[in-house]
Amino acid sequence: MRKFLLSGAALVAIGAFSAGTAEAKKLTLYCSPQEEWCQLMVTEFQKETGIKVAMTRKSSGETFAQIRAERDNPKGDVWWGGTGDPHLQAAEEGLTQEYNSPMLAELHDWAVRQHEAAKGRTVGIYAGALGFGFNTELLAEKGLPEPKCWADLIKPEFKGEVQMANPNSSGTAYTTLATIVQLFGEDEGFEFLKKLHMNINQYTKSGSAPIKAAARGETTVGIVFQHDAVTQKVAGFPIQVVSPCEGTGYEIGSMSIINGARNLEEAKMFYDFALRADVQEMARTVRAYQVPSNKNAAPPPEAPKLEDIKLIDYDFKTYGSSATRTRLLKKWDDEVNSLPR
Amino acid sequence: MRAKADASGLRREVGALLLLASAGFVLLPWYAQEEGFLSLIWLTEGWIDDPDYAPGLFQVLLHGRWWLAPLALLPLLALPALSRRRPRMEAGRWLILAGALTLAWLLFQGFAINHRGWAWSWLAALFGPLGDRQYGIGGGAVLLATAALFLLTQGIADRGAAKGDAFVVGGIGLVVASVALFIFFPILQVLESAFLDNDGAFAPMVFLAKFTDPKIWSLSCVTTGYRCGVAWNTVFLAVLTGAGTTLLGLAFALVVTRTSFRLKRVLRTLTVLPIITPPFVVGLAIILLFGRSGTVTQFVADFLGIAPGRWIYGLPGIWLAQMLAFTPIAFLVLIGVVEGVSPSLEEAAQTLRADSWTTFTTVSLPLMRPGLANAFLLGFIESMADFGNPLVLGGNYDVLSTEIFFAIVGAQNDPGRAAVLAIILLSFTLLAFWAQQRWVGRSSYTTVTGKGDAGRPLPLPRLVDVACRSAALPWAAFTLVIYAMILFGGFVEIWGRDHSFTLRHYIQAFSVTVGDYGLVWSGSAWNSFWTTIRIAALSAVPTAIIGLLTAWLLVRQNFTGKRLFEFGTMLSFAIPGTVIGVSYILAFNVPPIEITGTGIILIISFIFRNMPVGVRAGIAALSQLDPSLDEASLTLRASTWTTLRRILLPLLKPAMLAALVYAFVRAMTAVSAVVFLVSANYDLATNYILGRVENGDYGLAIAYSSVLILVMLLAIGLMQLLIGQRRLGRRETGRLMPVEQTA
């Protein structure tokens, strides 16, 4: 009986697959930076290897939530880009797996440190410093002084002129929150945030939205990563990028291979590909001005140079842990966001 | 086979169902495949030898999944019913037993054993660790379940339900089962997760704490400068939108039916636009007009010498966008009602010497009451469910739909809070339904009778005439301006700043390049574009079929529990899309039904979101058809199925086509439900547009939206062409179809 069934099945199979299709190589990519960059990576990788890439672009928060929801039955292979915190959290929860790429030797120290901090489960692919940008036209129109420091943003004349994202929904804004706390200490930091709250006209949902609003003249100042502000400036908007005088935090955009990836070989190929100098240099063609993690990759000339920025010693381990995160977010919600303006 | 069965005195229908059941258990793979059933990988890669691909029988025999064994035996309980000689009552008992027990065991084992082994701790405690696991059910299990369902309904029919008509009982069974599975089951999951803490333990106090959160219910904005709770924000906005769209929609309806206004056709065409407009674009156009640097704001600020402000962000902006989007829906509801008000009643009033004002306020307006209530309800629900406009224009005015979204994907990662908010949203909509039913009451509003209606509608009182025109016409012009801006926005460098002509947005979205391995569709929109068209087209057919089937059962059949049945089928209409999205993730991310990340989950969500459309279209069309047609057919001893197929379906063709196209269009513009359900291989256009809007990349979002509008216009044009050939039913479908509008 079984033999009979098997041969019947074989016949059907031959009929269905008379063309004899070989199983094509594929890769499922979760991508968190802007769409163009994601598309560029996909297209270039496909052109070079012929591996078919299925890519979803979702913000790092959305991607993290999805990988977590899928943990019992992972559907993705590589998570490329997006701020480092959720990558570290994913590594901590065992959602991603260790991989020691032969490319590691070519990377900057900060990228390798990210790799080591996560026990090899993630790696830095770019870095970007936090800061803000302002609309020069609006500033002149209002006759406001050029803001140079964090402290300038809480001056009363900037009331209703500053925009930042909501740290509950955006990783960028959480980095801002953690930066302020590390820079000024927790108590003083929250005092700062309360004063800043008086000047905020809107907490946006997405991290880079404030600078886009500033570009269109919907707000004067937007607190964002500096490379996002550069993007707007290069696009032709009247934006000036500021690196705050007190010093500032930064993000390490990261990449991880998902634990239980179904296409592990292809995932590793992509991982190595994404760390290559020539691939990282392509970012500027899609107006992404982060500092690349490969030492041989020339930083885009438009990008703010990390050497010129006063960077704080950002404690990724403490402020990336979910306990600190939950506590700070709740405190921010209760003590800052609920205040009247 | 048939002839043989007949000769041996066996019941064909029972035999066929048993064959179906065995095919499901013996031939088709029991579990779902990652590659999809149609890849046929289960045939080429092992079939019965592979524990992932083997059919149920071989799972028991070869792979040690003993818990499936009862499924081989339980359907056999139907064997006694195979004989024609057995009395129907007794045969029915066996069939019910076989169907119900098979279904029950299928469900029980599916929920008891999941991807981690035992799903319930008491089972593990009772039997020890299982040492095996099972994934989501596949083709074989679905076939067996379907067969078992129809064995059950056949049995119920044999015992005399619905005059013994197995087709009717089967139809009811099918609709009830699918509504239970794809509406009630997911909704219950939402309700449940609200009562769990982060570790999944039952914690009513956590629910209470989340439910009474002042961030939801605070009313402090009334007295102090603090912000109000998100629940009140939502209700306030929904009431404003409901009232506003109803009034404006009424003005439009009166202008079109009761005045001498010439360009009525233009007004009617305008009503189609918002239905086929992808989300967000209207909001963007409003920013460009009324934002701080918007054209109108700048002009007014210069004129009055004040500083331009951000007044549009928040309640005013959302409300304006919603008025633009939902007024046409109110119009489409009200135009039918206004046309339906019989002139003879108004003539009677005038004969009794009422002046035109008194006639309007005491006769015409009260007769429109059900329409007004319906329009308000639609506006209210649409506003509550709206996701795109608050996202773009919300500012700091939080509403439930966006809060639910960010409770799940935001840094707080709190599905429990999302569930609590979803419960609140759902209660508000149900409350609105109830209030509408109360207000309309049981009075008779029937004015369309079989008798010929002589006379022409009276002209409006002067005051009302002027008021309607001065409200409707500027608004129509405003709508046109908005849409002109949208079209324009796709062709300029930077919308709102650099207005030099460019095609770069279209090139970026829809370009094709050549790589080493052939054509690469490098345009960033292609992937989501084709997926959207495919998913929308695939979901349209089942939507129309299940909708019309339900309508036929409601109009032409009588059975106990009919009102409950009707409520169940309409329920999905009252549930906001965000809640549906959340509930589908919760319900279908784990076995036994594991379809997240597939195209199937999108198709299913569209079918059950848009089913009420098919139902309403079917009811409208069926009410036009004299029941004596089917009676004649039945008297000539045609079966119910033959009657439906040969008599009713050809006459229902226009309704069917309308339902098809409408389901297609709705699936293409839905956003709030699908943002949770899209995946790498199944990204949808609206999700892609959402990503662009979040990034401030308006040009591309608008270029893409313009293409989608064009595609949908083509689809609607095609429908007009096809239906246009049949005069019968055209007016009815055109008028009643768009009643079921919800985001």
Side-chain angles (χ1 to χ4, degrees), chain B residues 121-161:
Chain B
S121 46
W122 59 268
L123 278 169
L126 209 60
F127 297 107
L130 183 65
D132 198 358
R133 52 194 197 161
Q134 59 179 355
Y135 291 114
I137 56 168
V142 172
L143 199 60
L144 179 62
T146 315
L149 175 71
F150 287 131
L151 282 176
L152 176 66
T153 56
Q154 177 75 52
I156 296 173
D158 277 0
R159 293 183 66 82

Side-chain angles (χ1 to χ4, degrees), chain B residues 290-628:
Chain B
F290 302 108
R292 183 178 181 173
S293 297
T295 326
V296 175
T297 312
Q298 290 287 347
F299 179 77
V300 173
D302 285 350
F303 190 73
L304 298 176
I306 51 167
R310 291 172 43 87
W311 64 276
I312 196 75
Y313 294 96
L315 183 62
I318 313 178
W319 184 70
L320 196 61
Q322 291 188 341
M323 287 289 288
L324 274 169
F326 308 140
T327 296
I329 295 155
F331 166 76
L332 288 166
V333 174
L334 286 166
I335 182 107
V337 179
V338 173
E339 275 174 351
V341 171
S342 167
S344 38
L345 285 175
E346 293 177 340
E347 273 170 11
Q350 300 234 301
T351 316
L352 295 169
R353 302 231 171 151
D355 60 15
S356 68
W357 175 253
T358 317
T359 310
F360 182 73
T361 49
T362 59
V363 177
S364 318
L365 216 48
L367 282 171
M368 296 172 193
R369 200 156 139 170
L372 293 173
N374 216 352
F376 177 83
L377 185 70
L378 279 169
F380 185 86
I381 291 175
E382 289 276 7
S383 165
M384 287 228 145
D386 186 16
F387 175 75
N389 292 319
L391 196 67
V392 176
L393 290 161
N396 293 315
Y397 193 86
D398 291 329
V399 293
L400 284 169
S401 57
T402 49
E403 280 293 292
I404 291 172
F405 182 70
F406 284 101
I408 289 182
V409 306
Q412 16 170 314
N413 229 313
D414 191 350
R417 179 172 145 83
V420 170
L421 294 172
I423 289 176
I424 295 171
L425 189 48
L426 192 57
S427 335
F428 280 140
T429 22
L430 291 180
L431 206 66
F433 254 118
W434 177 80
Q436 183 232 19
Q437 293 288 323
R438 286 286 301 230
W439 192 62
V440 174
R442 288 174 183 276
S443 327
S444 166
Y445 300 96
T446 315
T447 59
V448 183
T449 59
K451 297 170 196 160
D453 240 345
R456 295 157 57 88
L458 293 182
L460 292 172
R462 180 112 197 102
L463 192 67
V464 181
D465 188 320
V466 171
C468 284
R469 278 179 196 241
S470 52
L473 300 183
W475 189 260
F478 178 49
T479 310
L480 280 177
V481 168
I482 293 272
Y483 277 88
M485 283 193 68
I486 290 170
L487 199 63
F488 170 75
F491 289 103
V492 295
E493 276 293 333
I494 302 169
W495 198 27
R497 181 155 188 97
D498 177 0
H499 286 171
S500 44
F501 176 81
T502 180
L503 283 176
R504 94 181 150 89
H505 304 303
Y506 284 92
I507 290 169
Q508 193 186 346
F510 296 106
S511 69
V512 178
T513 56
V514 183
D516 295 348
Y517 293 87
L519 275 188
V520 178
W521 298 73
S522 56
S524 56
W526 283 118
N527 182 18
S528 57
F529 180 76
W530 292 121
T531 312
T532 306
I533 301 251
R534 216 169 65 225
I535 298 271
L538 278 178
S539 68
V541 178
T543 309
I545 290 176
I546 198 164
L548 291 183
L549 178 68
T550 310
W552 175 73
L553 291 171
L554 285 172
V555 174
R556 287 293 204 264
Q557 306 299 329
N558 268 316
F559 49 91
T560 36
K562 189 164 148 181
R563 280 191 67 90
L564 198 68
F565 178 79
E566 185 174 8
F567 174 76
T569 58
M570 297 307 290
L571 185 66
S572 73
F573 165 66
I575 301 169
T578 318
V579 180
I580 288 274
V582 177
S583 67
Y584 268 49
I585 290 197
L586 289 171
F588 302 129
N589 197 33
V590 284
I593 302 175
E594 188 191 340
I595 48 175
T596 48
T598 66
I600 296 173
I601 196 168
L602 290 168
I603 296 178
I604 288 179
S605 78
F606 286 145
I607 293 175
F608 291 94
R609 291 289 288 146
N610 300 332
M611 189 177 95
V613 175
V615 176
R616 288 294 126 180
I619 288 179
L622 275 168
S623 320
Q624 283 187 315
L625 304 178
D626 196 325
S628 54

Side-chain angles (χ1 to χ4, degrees), chain A residues 100-144:
Chain A
N100 296 302
S101 165
M103 304 298 295
L104 280 177
E106 292 184 29
L107 304 184
H108 282 292
D109 283 349
W110 47 261
V112 179
R113 271 207 305 277
Q114 180 86 348
H115 183 74
E116 285 160 359
K119 298 195 182 101
R121 286 175 181 160
T122 191
V123 70
I125 49 174
Y126 58 79
L130 192 71
F132 49 85
F134 59 85
N135 184 314
T136 51
E137 287 173 7
L138 270 179
L139 200 79
E141 212 172 281
K142 299 243 160 203
L144 291 168

Side-chain angles (χ1 to χ4, degrees), chain A residues 178 189 256:
Chain A
S256 312

Side-chain angles (χ1 to χ4, degrees), chain B residues 13-27:
Chain B
E13 62 277 17
V14 178
L17 285 174
L18 283 173
L19 277 181
L20 208 65
S22 22
F25 200 67
V26 179
L27 293 178

